Amino acid sequence: MEGDKELTSLITSLSIPKTHASVGLSNLIAANKQHKSLFVNRRLPDRGWSDLQIQHFLLTLSTLDTNNNEAVSSTSGSESTAGRWCGVGEREGRVYSPLVAQRHFGMTHGIGRSGDITEPQPKAVGSSTIARLTLHLVLDAIRRGSGLDGRGAASNGILLPLCTGMSMAMTLTSIREALPEEEKGKKNVVLWSRIDQKSCYKAIASAGMRCVVVQTKVNAETDEVVTDMGAMAKALEENEGNVLAIITTTSCFAPRVPDAVDEVAKLCQKNDVAQVINNAYGLQCDRTSKLINRACVVGRVDAIVCSTDKNFLVPVGGAIVMSPKSDVTKSIGKIYPGRASGSPILDLFITLLSMGLDGYKGLLAERRRLVGVFEQKLRSVAEKHGERMLVCPRNTISFGVTLDHLTGSQSEDGDSSEVSYFGSILFMRCVSGTRVVPRGQDKKMGNDLFEGFGSSTSNFAHSYLTAACAIGVSEADIDEFSNRLGKAFKEYAAKKRKQALKAKEGK
Protein backbone atom coordinates (compact mmCIF):
# COMPACT_ATOMS: atom_id res chain seq x y z
CA MET A 1 0.00 0.00 0.00
CA GLU A 2 1.19 3.52 -0.82
CA GLY A 3 0.62 4.74 2.75
CA ASP A 4 2.71 1.90 4.20
CA LYS A 5 5.57 2.66 1.82
CA GLU A 6 5.49 6.33 2.75
CA LEU A 7 5.52 5.51 6.47
CA THR A 8 8.41 3.10 5.93
CA SER A 9 10.31 5.84 4.14
CA LEU A 10 9.69 8.31 6.96
CA ILE A 11 10.90 5.83 9.57
CA THR A 12 14.04 4.92 7.63
CA SER A 13 14.79 8.63 7.21
CA LEU A 14 15.52 8.56 10.96
CA SER A 15 18.35 6.08 10.33
CA ILE A 16 16.23 3.11 11.41
CA PRO A 17 16.98 0.07 9.24
CA LYS A 18 14.30 -0.80 6.72
CA THR A 19 14.13 -4.37 8.01
CA HIS A 20 13.32 -3.04 11.49
CA ALA A 21 10.67 -0.69 10.12
CA SER A 22 9.04 -3.52 8.17
CA VAL A 23 8.78 -5.69 11.28
CA GLY A 24 7.20 -2.87 13.25
CA LEU A 25 4.79 -1.90 10.48
CA SER A 26 3.61 -5.49 10.16
CA ASN A 27 1.83 -5.04 13.50
CA LEU A 28 0.09 -1.92 12.23
CA ILE A 29 -0.91 -3.65 9.01
CA ALA A 30 -2.31 -6.61 10.97
CA ALA A 31 -4.30 -4.26 13.20
CA ASN A 32 -5.75 -2.45 10.19
CA LYS A 33 -6.79 -5.79 8.66
CA GLN A 34 -8.42 -6.71 11.95
CA HIS A 35 -10.39 -3.45 12.01
CA LYS A 36 -11.40 -3.84 8.37
CA SER A 37 -12.63 -7.38 9.04
CA LEU A 38 -14.93 -6.09 11.77
CA PHE A 39 -16.52 -3.56 9.39
CA VAL A 40 -16.82 -5.96 6.48
CA ASN A 41 -18.02 -9.11 8.27
CA ARG A 42 -19.89 -7.46 11.17
CA ARG A 43 -19.40 -10.59 13.24
CA LEU A 44 -17.62 -11.38 16.46
CA PRO A 45 -14.01 -12.43 15.93
CA ASP A 46 -13.54 -16.06 16.90
CA ARG A 47 -10.74 -15.16 19.29
CA GLY A 48 -11.05 -12.19 21.61
CA TRP A 49 -8.89 -9.12 21.14
CA SER A 50 -6.28 -8.01 23.66
CA ASP A 51 -6.86 -4.90 25.76
CA LEU A 52 -4.21 -3.06 23.74
CA GLN A 53 -5.92 -3.94 20.46
CA ILE A 54 -9.28 -2.77 21.79
CA GLN A 55 -7.85 0.50 23.17
CA HIS A 56 -6.12 1.23 19.87
CA PHE A 57 -9.37 0.75 17.97
CA LEU A 58 -11.42 2.84 20.43
CA LEU A 59 -8.97 5.74 20.42
CA THR A 60 -8.89 5.67 16.63
CA LEU A 61 -12.68 5.86 16.46
CA SER A 62 -12.87 8.56 19.14
CA THR A 63 -10.85 10.93 16.94
CA LEU A 64 -13.87 10.95 14.60
CA ASP A 65 -15.97 12.76 17.24
CA THR A 66 -15.85 16.54 17.03
CA ASN A 67 -15.04 17.05 20.72
CA ASN A 68 -11.74 15.20 20.36
CA ASN A 69 -9.51 17.69 18.54
CA GLU A 70 -6.30 19.39 19.60
CA ALA A 71 -5.78 23.14 19.72
CA VAL A 72 -4.41 24.67 16.49
CA SER A 73 -2.89 28.07 15.75
CA SER A 74 -4.59 30.46 13.37
CA THR A 75 -2.63 31.01 10.14
CA SER A 76 -3.84 34.61 9.88
CA GLY A 77 -2.13 35.87 13.00
CA SER A 78 -0.86 35.08 16.45
CA GLU A 79 -4.29 34.28 17.90
CA SER A 80 -5.11 30.70 18.87
CA THR A 81 -8.43 28.96 18.65
CA ALA A 82 -9.62 26.29 21.09
CA GLY A 83 -9.50 23.62 18.46
CA ARG A 84 -10.29 22.64 14.90
CA TRP A 85 -13.96 22.57 15.78
CA CYS A 86 -15.59 25.56 17.43
CA GLY A 87 -18.59 24.30 19.45
CA VAL A 88 -21.15 26.87 20.58
CA GLY A 89 -24.09 24.58 21.34
CA GLU A 90 -25.47 23.84 24.78
CA ARG A 91 -23.75 20.46 25.01
CA GLU A 92 -20.84 19.89 22.58
CA GLY A 93 -19.51 16.84 24.47
CA ARG A 94 -17.75 19.03 27.02
CA VAL A 95 -16.35 17.14 30.01
CA TYR A 96 -14.65 18.85 32.94
CA SER A 97 -12.79 15.88 34.42
CA PRO A 98 -9.98 14.26 32.42
CA LEU A 99 -10.67 11.08 34.40
CA VAL A 100 -14.25 10.99 33.15
CA ALA A 101 -13.11 11.67 29.58
CA GLN A 102 -10.58 8.85 29.87
CA ARG A 103 -13.24 6.48 31.24
CA HIS A 104 -15.32 7.08 28.10
CA PHE A 105 -12.35 7.13 25.68
CA GLY A 106 -13.36 10.71 24.83
CA MET A 107 -16.69 9.64 23.37
CA THR A 108 -19.07 11.90 25.27
CA HIS A 109 -21.66 12.95 22.67
CA GLY A 110 -23.84 9.91 23.30
CA ILE A 111 -25.80 8.10 20.61
CA GLY A 112 -28.81 8.85 18.44
CA ARG A 113 -30.72 12.06 17.91
CA SER A 114 -33.84 13.47 19.51
CA GLY A 115 -36.02 11.92 16.79
CA ASP A 116 -34.54 8.41 16.84
CA ILE A 117 -32.03 6.68 19.11
CA THR A 118 -30.67 4.70 16.14
CA GLU A 119 -29.94 7.73 13.95
CA PRO A 120 -26.25 8.59 13.43
CA GLN A 121 -25.07 11.59 15.42
CA PRO A 122 -23.33 14.04 13.01
CA LYS A 123 -20.95 15.30 15.70
CA ALA A 124 -20.06 11.78 16.85
CA VAL A 125 -19.18 9.55 13.93
CA GLY A 126 -16.99 7.40 16.16
CA SER A 127 -19.70 6.89 18.77
CA SER A 128 -22.30 6.18 16.08
CA THR A 129 -19.97 3.63 14.49
CA ILE A 130 -19.55 1.82 17.81
CA ALA A 131 -23.31 1.79 18.38
CA ARG A 132 -23.92 0.20 14.95
CA LEU A 133 -21.07 -2.30 15.26
CA THR A 134 -22.14 -3.33 18.77
CA LEU A 135 -25.62 -4.21 17.56
CA HIS A 136 -24.15 -6.40 14.82
CA LEU A 137 -21.77 -8.08 17.27
CA VAL A 138 -24.34 -8.78 19.98
CA LEU A 139 -26.83 -10.19 17.47
CA ASP A 140 -24.05 -12.41 16.12
CA ALA A 141 -23.26 -13.62 19.66
CA ILE A 142 -26.95 -14.34 20.26
CA ARG A 143 -27.38 -16.21 16.97
CA ARG A 144 -24.15 -18.24 16.92
CA GLY A 145 -23.69 -18.48 20.68
CA SER A 146 -27.08 -18.49 22.40
CA GLY A 147 -28.90 -20.17 19.52
CA LEU A 148 -31.72 -17.73 18.75
CA ASP A 149 -32.73 -17.96 15.09
CA GLY A 150 -31.27 -15.20 12.92
CA ARG A 151 -34.21 -15.55 10.54
CA GLY A 152 -36.80 -15.36 13.30
CA ALA A 153 -36.42 -14.31 16.94
CA ALA A 154 -33.05 -12.58 16.43
CA SER A 155 -33.53 -11.26 12.90
CA ASN A 156 -33.87 -7.64 14.13
CA GLY A 157 -32.67 -5.85 17.24
CA ILE A 158 -32.14 -2.56 19.00
CA LEU A 159 -29.81 -1.75 21.88
CA LEU A 160 -31.14 0.50 24.64
CA PRO A 161 -29.16 2.12 27.48
CA LEU A 162 -31.99 1.13 29.84
CA CYS A 163 -32.71 -1.63 32.31
CA THR A 164 -34.99 -4.50 31.29
CA GLY A 165 -38.08 -2.99 32.96
CA MET A 166 -37.81 0.38 31.23
CA SER A 167 -37.09 -1.38 27.94
CA MET A 168 -40.33 -3.33 28.42
CA ALA A 169 -42.19 -0.04 28.94
CA MET A 170 -40.66 1.41 25.76
CA THR A 171 -41.62 -1.72 23.84
CA LEU A 172 -45.25 -1.60 25.00
CA THR A 173 -45.48 2.10 24.14
CA SER A 174 -44.12 1.50 20.63
CA ILE A 175 -46.58 -1.36 20.00
CA ARG A 176 -49.47 0.89 21.03
CA GLU A 177 -48.21 3.77 18.87
CA ALA A 178 -48.24 1.47 15.83
CA LEU A 179 -51.99 0.89 16.20
CA PRO A 180 -54.58 2.74 14.09
CA GLU A 181 -55.71 5.95 15.82
CA GLU A 182 -59.16 4.58 16.63
CA GLU A 183 -57.63 1.65 18.58
CA LYS A 184 -54.97 3.49 20.61
CA GLY A 185 -57.33 4.62 23.36
CA LYS A 186 -59.23 1.36 23.43
CA LYS A 187 -56.40 -1.18 23.69
CA ASN A 188 -54.88 -0.31 27.06
CA VAL A 189 -54.89 -3.70 28.81
CA VAL A 190 -51.80 -5.90 29.18
CA LEU A 191 -52.22 -9.49 30.34
CA TRP A 192 -49.30 -10.58 32.50
CA SER A 193 -48.65 -14.21 33.30
CA ARG A 194 -47.89 -13.84 36.99
CA ILE A 195 -44.29 -13.73 38.08
CA ASP A 196 -43.52 -12.12 41.43
CA GLN A 197 -41.01 -9.54 40.31
CA LYS A 198 -41.90 -5.86 40.53
CA SER A 199 -40.11 -4.41 37.48
CA CYS A 200 -42.44 -5.81 34.84
CA TYR A 201 -45.57 -4.73 36.72
CA LYS A 202 -44.13 -1.22 37.02
CA ALA A 203 -43.17 -1.25 33.32
CA ILE A 204 -46.82 -1.76 32.38
CA ALA A 205 -47.88 1.10 34.66
CA SER A 206 -45.08 3.34 33.31
CA ALA A 207 -46.40 2.77 29.79
CA GLY A 208 -49.79 4.07 30.95
CA MET A 209 -51.55 0.74 30.65
CA ARG A 210 -53.67 -1.44 32.93
CA CYS A 211 -52.18 -4.72 34.09
CA VAL A 212 -54.39 -7.78 34.38
CA VAL A 213 -52.53 -10.44 36.36
CA VAL A 214 -53.17 -13.93 35.02
CA GLN A 215 -52.69 -16.47 37.78
CA THR A 216 -50.38 -19.44 37.34
CA LYS A 217 -50.76 -23.00 38.59
CA VAL A 218 -48.57 -25.68 40.18
CA ASN A 219 -47.69 -28.73 38.12
CA ALA A 220 -49.26 -31.72 39.88
CA GLU A 221 -46.24 -33.96 39.24
CA THR A 222 -43.46 -31.54 40.22
CA ASP A 223 -42.98 -28.32 42.19
CA GLU A 224 -43.03 -26.24 39.00
CA VAL A 225 -45.17 -23.11 38.80
CA VAL A 226 -46.38 -23.01 35.20
CA THR A 227 -48.52 -21.01 32.77
CA ASP A 228 -52.27 -21.51 33.21
CA MET A 229 -53.41 -21.46 29.58
CA GLY A 230 -57.05 -21.80 30.62
CA ALA A 231 -56.79 -18.70 32.79
CA MET A 232 -55.00 -16.85 29.97
CA ALA A 233 -57.74 -17.66 27.45
CA LYS A 234 -60.40 -16.61 29.96
CA ALA A 235 -58.64 -13.27 30.64
CA LEU A 236 -58.49 -12.63 26.89
CA GLU A 237 -62.20 -13.32 26.59
CA GLU A 238 -63.10 -11.10 29.57
CA ASN A 239 -61.09 -8.20 28.11
CA GLU A 240 -61.97 -8.82 24.47
CA GLY A 241 -61.12 -5.90 22.22
CA ASN A 242 -59.09 -4.11 24.90
CA VAL A 243 -55.94 -6.25 25.12
CA LEU A 244 -52.83 -4.74 23.57
CA ALA A 245 -50.36 -7.44 24.55
CA ILE A 246 -49.56 -10.46 26.67
CA ILE A 247 -46.30 -10.38 28.61
CA THR A 248 -44.72 -13.76 29.24
CA THR A 249 -41.48 -14.63 31.03
CA THR A 250 -38.77 -17.12 30.13
CA SER A 251 -36.16 -16.39 32.83
CA CYS A 252 -37.40 -16.67 36.38
CA PHE A 253 -36.73 -17.75 39.96
CA ALA A 254 -37.62 -21.32 40.92
CA PRO A 255 -40.20 -22.77 41.38
CA ARG A 256 -41.45 -20.65 38.46
CA VAL A 257 -40.44 -22.05 35.09
CA PRO A 258 -40.49 -20.39 31.65
CA ASP A 259 -43.96 -19.64 30.35
CA ALA A 260 -45.40 -21.74 27.55
CA VAL A 261 -44.57 -18.96 25.09
CA ASP A 262 -45.21 -21.25 22.12
CA GLU A 263 -48.79 -21.92 23.26
CA VAL A 264 -49.29 -18.25 24.09
CA ALA A 265 -47.96 -17.38 20.61
CA LYS A 266 -50.75 -19.43 19.03
CA LEU A 267 -53.30 -17.67 21.25
CA CYS A 268 -51.91 -14.24 20.33
CA GLN A 269 -51.98 -15.00 16.62
CA LYS A 270 -55.57 -16.21 16.82
CA ASN A 271 -56.73 -13.11 18.74
CA ASP A 272 -54.51 -10.49 17.01
CA VAL A 273 -52.73 -9.61 20.27
CA ALA A 274 -49.01 -8.86 20.65
CA GLN A 275 -46.72 -11.05 22.73
CA VAL A 276 -43.73 -9.52 24.53
CA ILE A 277 -41.32 -12.02 26.09
CA ASN A 278 -39.31 -11.02 29.15
CA ASN A 279 -36.15 -13.04 28.55
CA ALA A 280 -34.01 -11.00 30.96
CA TYR A 281 -31.27 -13.58 31.52
CA GLY A 282 -32.50 -16.43 29.32
CA LEU A 283 -29.86 -16.14 26.58
CA GLN A 284 -27.57 -18.38 28.62
CA CYS A 285 -30.01 -21.30 28.43
CA ASP A 286 -30.21 -23.47 25.26
CA ARG A 287 -33.63 -24.84 26.18
CA THR A 288 -35.08 -21.35 26.53
CA SER A 289 -33.69 -20.26 23.15
CA LYS A 290 -35.26 -23.30 21.49
CA LEU A 291 -38.59 -22.52 23.17
CA ILE A 292 -38.53 -18.94 21.87
CA ASN A 293 -37.53 -20.08 18.39
CA ARG A 294 -40.49 -22.46 18.36
CA ALA A 295 -42.85 -19.71 19.53
CA CYS A 296 -41.79 -17.49 16.62
CA VAL A 297 -42.53 -20.31 14.17
CA VAL A 298 -45.91 -21.51 15.46
CA GLY A 299 -47.48 -18.18 16.39
CA ARG A 300 -46.98 -14.51 17.21
CA VAL A 301 -44.03 -13.01 19.04
CA ASP A 302 -43.53 -9.24 18.74
CA ALA A 303 -40.53 -8.63 20.99
CA ILE A 304 -37.98 -10.42 23.17
CA VAL A 305 -36.36 -8.24 25.83
CA CYS A 306 -32.99 -9.28 27.27
CA SER A 307 -30.62 -7.70 29.79
CA THR A 308 -27.05 -7.03 28.69
CA ASP A 309 -25.55 -7.22 32.18
CA LYS A 310 -27.15 -10.58 33.09
CA ASN A 311 -26.16 -12.22 29.81
CA PHE A 312 -22.84 -10.62 28.87
CA LEU A 313 -21.18 -9.70 32.19
CA VAL A 314 -21.21 -5.90 31.83
CA PRO A 315 -22.34 -3.22 34.32
CA VAL A 316 -26.07 -2.76 34.88
CA GLY A 317 -27.94 -0.44 32.54
CA GLY A 318 -28.47 -1.94 29.11
CA ALA A 319 -30.90 -4.15 27.22
CA ILE A 320 -31.38 -5.58 23.76
CA VAL A 321 -34.87 -5.86 22.29
CA MET A 322 -35.20 -8.35 19.44
CA SER A 323 -38.09 -9.05 17.11
CA PRO A 324 -38.94 -11.13 14.05
CA LYS A 325 -40.46 -7.90 12.71
CA SER A 326 -38.24 -4.99 11.67
CA ASP A 327 -41.02 -2.44 12.16
CA VAL A 328 -41.14 -3.21 15.91
CA THR A 329 -37.48 -2.36 16.59
CA LYS A 330 -37.65 0.68 14.30
CA SER A 331 -40.69 1.95 16.20
CA ILE A 332 -38.89 1.57 19.55
CA GLY A 333 -36.02 3.69 18.21
CA LYS A 334 -38.40 6.49 17.28
CA ILE A 335 -40.20 6.36 20.65
CA TYR A 336 -37.02 6.97 22.69
CA PRO A 337 -37.11 10.60 23.92
CA GLY A 338 -33.90 12.50 23.26
CA ARG A 339 -30.29 11.50 22.76
CA ALA A 340 -29.01 8.55 24.82
CA SER A 341 -25.97 7.61 26.85
CA GLY A 342 -23.44 5.57 24.92
CA SER A 343 -21.80 4.13 28.05
CA PRO A 344 -23.72 0.83 28.28
CA ILE A 345 -23.19 0.28 24.54
CA LEU A 346 -19.46 0.98 24.83
CA ASP A 347 -19.18 -1.45 27.78
CA LEU A 348 -20.84 -4.16 25.72
CA PHE A 349 -18.67 -3.43 22.66
CA ILE A 350 -15.47 -3.74 24.68
CA THR A 351 -16.67 -6.92 26.39
CA LEU A 352 -17.75 -8.65 23.20
CA LEU A 353 -14.43 -7.89 21.50
CA SER A 354 -12.59 -9.11 24.58
CA MET A 355 -14.60 -12.36 24.70
CA GLY A 356 -14.75 -13.19 21.04
CA LEU A 357 -17.17 -15.90 19.97
CA ASP A 358 -14.97 -18.64 21.44
CA GLY A 359 -14.90 -16.87 24.80
CA TYR A 360 -18.67 -16.40 24.89
CA LYS A 361 -19.35 -19.99 23.86
CA GLY A 362 -16.86 -21.11 26.49
CA LEU A 363 -18.76 -19.26 29.22
CA LEU A 364 -22.04 -20.83 28.11
CA ALA A 365 -20.47 -24.30 28.01
CA GLU A 366 -18.95 -23.86 31.46
CA ARG A 367 -22.32 -22.81 32.90
CA ARG A 368 -23.93 -25.91 31.39
CA ARG A 369 -21.24 -28.08 32.93
CA LEU A 370 -21.67 -26.51 36.34
CA VAL A 371 -25.46 -27.03 36.42
CA GLY A 372 -24.95 -30.66 37.45
CA VAL A 373 -22.33 -29.69 40.02
CA PHE A 374 -24.60 -26.99 41.44
CA GLU A 375 -27.57 -29.35 41.77
CA GLN A 376 -25.51 -32.09 43.40
CA LYS A 377 -23.92 -29.77 45.96
CA LEU A 378 -27.22 -28.06 46.80
CA ARG A 379 -29.06 -31.39 47.14
CA SER A 380 -26.36 -32.73 49.43
CA VAL A 381 -26.59 -29.77 51.81
CA ALA A 382 -30.39 -29.77 51.75
CA GLU A 383 -30.77 -33.46 52.56
CA LYS A 384 -28.14 -33.28 55.29
CA HIS A 385 -30.33 -30.73 57.10
CA GLY A 386 -33.69 -32.37 56.52
CA GLU A 387 -34.73 -30.37 53.46
CA ARG A 388 -34.96 -31.19 49.75
CA MET A 389 -34.45 -29.63 46.33
CA LEU A 390 -37.55 -28.28 44.62
CA VAL A 391 -38.32 -30.39 41.55
CA CYS A 392 -38.30 -27.89 38.67
CA PRO A 393 -36.66 -29.63 35.69
CA ARG A 394 -37.65 -26.91 33.20
CA ASN A 395 -35.67 -24.24 35.08
CA THR A 396 -31.96 -24.88 34.63
CA ILE A 397 -30.73 -21.54 35.96
CA SER A 398 -32.53 -21.04 39.29
CA PHE A 399 -32.74 -23.80 41.90
CA GLY A 400 -34.76 -24.00 45.10
CA VAL A 401 -34.37 -25.68 48.48
CA THR A 402 -37.25 -26.10 50.92
CA LEU A 403 -37.08 -24.42 54.33
CA ASP A 404 -39.94 -26.38 55.88
CA HIS A 405 -38.06 -27.13 59.11
CA LEU A 406 -37.78 -23.39 59.73
CA THR A 407 -41.53 -22.79 59.55
CA GLY A 408 -43.12 -26.01 60.68
CA SER A 409 -45.71 -28.02 58.76
CA GLN A 410 -46.24 -27.61 55.01
CA SER A 411 -49.97 -27.18 55.65
CA GLU A 412 -49.38 -24.12 57.80
CA ASP A 413 -48.02 -20.73 56.80
CA GLY A 414 -45.61 -20.72 59.71
CA ASP A 415 -43.55 -17.75 60.88
CA SER A 416 -42.15 -15.68 58.00
CA SER A 417 -39.74 -13.95 60.37
CA GLU A 418 -37.88 -17.24 60.85
CA VAL A 419 -37.33 -17.56 57.09
CA SER A 420 -36.22 -13.93 56.88
CA TYR A 421 -33.83 -14.52 59.77
CA PHE A 422 -32.29 -17.43 57.88
CA GLY A 423 -31.79 -15.11 54.90
CA SER A 424 -30.02 -12.62 57.16
CA ILE A 425 -27.69 -15.36 58.39
CA LEU A 426 -26.65 -16.05 54.80
CA PHE A 427 -26.12 -12.37 54.08
CA MET A 428 -24.04 -11.92 57.24
CA ARG A 429 -21.90 -14.77 55.95
CA CYS A 430 -21.33 -12.69 52.80
CA VAL A 431 -23.62 -14.76 50.58
CA SER A 432 -25.40 -12.61 48.01
CA GLY A 433 -27.95 -13.49 45.34
CA THR A 434 -30.06 -15.96 47.31
CA ARG A 435 -33.78 -15.30 47.86
CA VAL A 436 -35.68 -16.62 50.84
CA VAL A 437 -39.45 -16.86 50.36
CA PRO A 438 -41.78 -17.47 53.33
CA ARG A 439 -44.95 -19.41 52.68
CA GLY A 440 -48.20 -17.45 52.77
CA GLN A 441 -46.68 -13.96 52.43
CA ASP A 442 -48.95 -11.38 50.77
CA LYS A 443 -47.94 -8.15 49.04
CA LYS A 444 -49.88 -5.43 47.26
CA MET A 445 -48.64 -3.81 44.05
CA GLY A 446 -50.84 -1.08 42.63
CA ASN A 447 -54.40 -2.31 43.00
CA ASP A 448 -53.44 -5.99 42.89
CA LEU A 449 -52.96 -8.25 45.91
CA PHE A 450 -50.39 -11.01 45.36
CA GLU A 451 -51.13 -13.92 47.69
CA GLY A 452 -48.10 -16.06 48.44
CA PHE A 453 -45.85 -13.35 47.06
CA GLY A 454 -42.44 -14.54 45.95
CA SER A 455 -43.47 -17.96 44.67
CA SER A 456 -45.48 -16.57 41.71
CA THR A 457 -48.55 -18.54 42.74
CA SER A 458 -51.18 -18.12 45.43
CA ASN A 459 -50.71 -21.24 47.55
CA PHE A 460 -47.27 -22.79 47.16
CA ALA A 461 -46.67 -25.64 49.57
CA HIS A 462 -43.24 -24.65 50.89
CA SER A 463 -41.09 -21.87 52.25
CA TYR A 464 -37.84 -22.03 50.34
CA LEU A 465 -34.65 -20.35 49.19
CA THR A 466 -33.34 -20.00 45.67
CA ALA A 467 -29.87 -19.66 44.19
CA ALA A 468 -28.78 -19.36 40.57
CA CYS A 469 -26.22 -21.17 38.46
CA ALA A 470 -25.78 -18.23 36.10
CA ILE A 471 -23.18 -17.32 33.52
CA GLY A 472 -19.86 -16.36 35.09
CA VAL A 473 -20.27 -18.40 38.27
CA SER A 474 -17.27 -20.58 39.10
CA GLU A 475 -16.97 -24.01 40.69
CA ALA A 476 -15.14 -22.31 43.56
CA ASP A 477 -18.19 -20.04 44.08
CA ILE A 478 -20.45 -23.11 44.20
CA ASP A 479 -18.19 -24.92 46.67
CA GLU A 480 -18.00 -21.90 48.97
CA PHE A 481 -21.75 -21.26 48.78
CA SER A 482 -22.47 -24.89 49.71
CA ASN A 483 -20.08 -24.62 52.64
CA ARG A 484 -21.62 -21.37 53.93
CA LEU A 485 -25.17 -22.62 53.40
CA GLY A 486 -24.40 -25.66 55.54
CA LYS A 487 -22.97 -23.42 58.27
CA ALA A 488 -26.08 -21.21 58.10
CA PHE A 489 -28.31 -24.25 58.72
CA LYS A 490 -26.13 -25.20 61.71
CA GLU A 491 -26.21 -21.66 63.09
CA TYR A 492 -30.00 -21.55 62.79
CA ALA A 493 -30.35 -24.94 64.51
CA ALA A 494 -28.07 -23.77 67.35
CA LYS A 495 -30.22 -20.68 67.79
CA LYS A 496 -33.40 -22.77 68.03
CA ARG A 497 -31.81 -25.08 70.62
CA LYS A 498 -30.76 -22.09 72.67
CA GLN A 499 -34.27 -20.61 72.52
CA ALA A 500 -35.79 -23.94 73.53
CA LEU A 501 -33.42 -24.21 76.49
CA LYS A 502 -34.28 -20.69 77.69
CA ALA A 503 -37.97 -21.41 77.37
CA LYS A 504 -37.56 -24.60 79.41
CA GLU A 505 -35.61 -22.80 82.12
CA GLY A 506 -38.24 -20.09 82.27
CA LYS A 507 -41.04 -22.51 83.12
Side-chain angles (χ1 to χ4, degrees):
M1 292 174 64
E2 193 65 34
D4 297 333
K5 290 180 180 178
E6 184 180 0
L7 189 54
T8 301
S9 176
L10 291 171
I11 292 173
T12 55
S13 71
L14 297 172
S15 300
I16 295 174
K18 186 176 181 179
T19 52
H20 295 189
S22 298
V23 170
L25 283 175
S26 67
N27 292 335
L28 186 60
I29 294 167
N32 289 337
K33 286 182 178 178
Q34 195 177 43
H35 300 165
K36 183 179 179 181
S37 175
L38 204 61
F39 281 96
V40 172
N41 298 318
R42 300 174 186 177
R43 286 156 62 102
L44 269 180
D46 289 335
R47 294 177 59 186
W49 292 9
S50 69
D51 289 350
L52 185 61
Q53 289 170 316
I54 295 170
Q55 289 174 23
H56 175 216
F57 189 49
L58 291 174
L59 291 172
T60 299
L61 289 179
S62 74
T63 60
L64 304 180
D65 288 6
T66 59
N67 60 298
N68 295 317
N69 60 101
E70 299 296 329
V72 295
S73 297
S74 170
T75 56
S76 59
S78 59
E79 294 182 1
S80 294
T81 60
R84 183 164 174 263
W85 286 90
C86 178
V88 291
E90 78 287 351
R91 185 181 284 136
E92 299 305 328
R94 301 183 186 106
V95 172
Y96 176 82
S97 170
L99 188 59
V100 171
Q102 182 182 348
R103 175 174 176 261
H104 295 271
F105 290 89
M107 287 177 276
T108 58
H109 276 293
I111 57 173
R113 306 190 74 179
S114 58
D116 190 337
I117 193 177
T118 64
E119 277 191 29
Q121 172 54 239
K123 292 186 285 189
V125 174
S127 299
S128 299
T129 299
I130 286 175
R132 294 288 178 91
L133 281 175
T134 306
L135 179 59
H136 286 296
L137 297 184
V138 74
L139 284 174
D140 184 48
I142 290 168
R143 292 162 184 162
R144 294 198 289 154
S146 301
L148 282 186
D149 189 358
R151 295 163 299 179
S155 56
N156 302 280
I158 182 172
L159 281 166
L160 297 173
L162 299 170
C163 64
T164 308
M166 285 304 299
S167 297
M168 295 285 288
M170 291 278 297
T171 301
L172 290 172
T173 302
S174 70
I175 291 172
R176 180 177 57 192
E177 285 300 305
L179 293 174
E181 287 298 325
E182 62 272 16
E183 292 186 23
K184 286 183 181 178
K186 185 180 178 184
K187 290 195 171 185
N188 68 334
V189 172
V190 175
L191 304 186
W192 180 42
S193 183
R194 177 178 170 182
I195 180 165
D196 292 351
Q197 201 266 353
K198 298 175 184 177
S199 295
C200 199
Y201 187 90
K202 291 180 178 179
I204 296 168
S206 297
M209 299 173 199
R210 181 167 67 89
C211 179
V212 173
V213 181
V214 180
Q215 293 298 326
T216 53
K217 61 183 181 180
V218 180
N219 187 318
E221 298 178 357
T222 65
D223 295 307
E224 293 178 330
V225 175
V226 301
T227 317
D228 189 334
M229 290 304 300
M232 187 69 74
K234 183 180 178 182
L236 260 176
E237 185 180 342
E238 291 174 346
N239 295 275
E240 187 177 1
N242 297 318
V243 178
L244 174 74
I246 297 175
I247 292 182
T248 49
T249 304
T250 47
S251 57
C252 39
F253 302 119
R256 187 70 154 80
V257 297
D259 276 312
V261 294
D262 49 351
E263 295 302 316
V264 174
K266 295 175 186 177
L267 198 63
C268 288
Q269 191 170 56
K270 180 181 177 182
N271 292 274
D272 192 25
V273 169
Q275 181 181 190
V276 178
I277 299 176
N278 180 359
N279 190 43
Y281 50 94
L283 292 175
Q284 54 195 282
C285 179
D286 294 345
R287 184 180 296 179
T288 299
S289 292
K290 289 175 182 176
L291 176 63
I292 293 172
N293 285 338
R294 185 163 63 250
C296 293
V297 171
V298 302
R300 178 170 175 177
V301 174
D302 291 69
I304 305 113
V305 184
C306 306
S307 164
T308 55
D309 61 275
K310 292 174 183 174
N311 291 293
F312 296 104
L313 308 180
V314 294
V316 171
I320 179 166
V321 182
M322 291 168 289
S323 176
K325 309 169 185 178
S326 61
D327 59 328
V328 171
T329 52
K330 288 177 181 177
S331 176
I332 294 171
K334 294 184 190 317
I335 286 291
Y336 193 98
R339 209 184 297 184
S341 169
S343 294
I345 314 301
L346 181 59
D347 289 339
L348 183 59
F349 182 70
I350 293 169
T351 301
L352 289 171
L353 283 181
S354 183
M355 281 182 183
L357 184 62
D358 292 345
Y360 183 54
K361 283 185 173 180
L363 286 167
L364 297 177
E366 178 66 358
R367 192 202 76 83
R368 286 194 299 271
R369 183 188 75 82
L370 289 174
V371 166
V373 177
F374 197 90
E375 283 188 283
Q376 187 272 323
K377 295 275 187 180
L378 208 53
R379 181 176 289 108
S380 176
V381 175
E383 292 176 353
K384 184 176 180 180
H385 296 279
E387 304 292 351
R388 70 171 179 86
M389 290 274 289
L390 295 179
V391 181
C392 304
R394 282 179 285 180
N395 192 333
T396 60
I397 296 177
S398 178
F399 299 90
V401 170
T402 64
L403 297 176
D404 294 334
H405 285 70
L406 274 63
T407 58
S409 168
Q410 292 182 18
S411 61
E412 301 171 356
D413 286 351
D415 185 358
S416 64
S417 65
E418 292 297 308
V419 177
S420 298
Y421 175 71
F422 187 77
S424 70
I425 293 175
L426 286 172
F427 192 73
M428 291 303 291
R429 288 186 174 275
C430 300
V431 175
S432 63
T434 56
R435 296 170 70 249
V436 293
V437 181
R439 186 176 186 275
Q441 177 179 247
D442 296 344
K443 184 179 285 289
K444 192 168 185 182
M445 285 197 290
N447 295 319
D448 293 292
L449 178 66
F450 291 77
E451 296 179 350
F453 184 80
S455 57
S456 299
T457 193
S458 296
N459 193 28
F460 194 65
H462 307 276
S463 295
Y464 62 92
L465 71 83
T466 66
C469 183
I471 189 170
V473 74
S474 68
E475 193 160 353
D477 291 330
I478 296 170
D479 290 340
E480 190 57 38
F481 167 60
S482 303
N483 181 41
R484 296 184 190 189
L485 178 60
K487 289 180 178 178
F489 273 119
K490 290 178 181 178
E491 183 177 332
Y492 179 82
K495 174 211 169 190
K496 297 300 289 184
R497 286 194 299 269
K498 189 175 181 180
Q499 286 178 340
L501 183 61
K502 280 186 178 181
K504 186 177 181 180
E505 291 174 349
K507 288 183 180 179

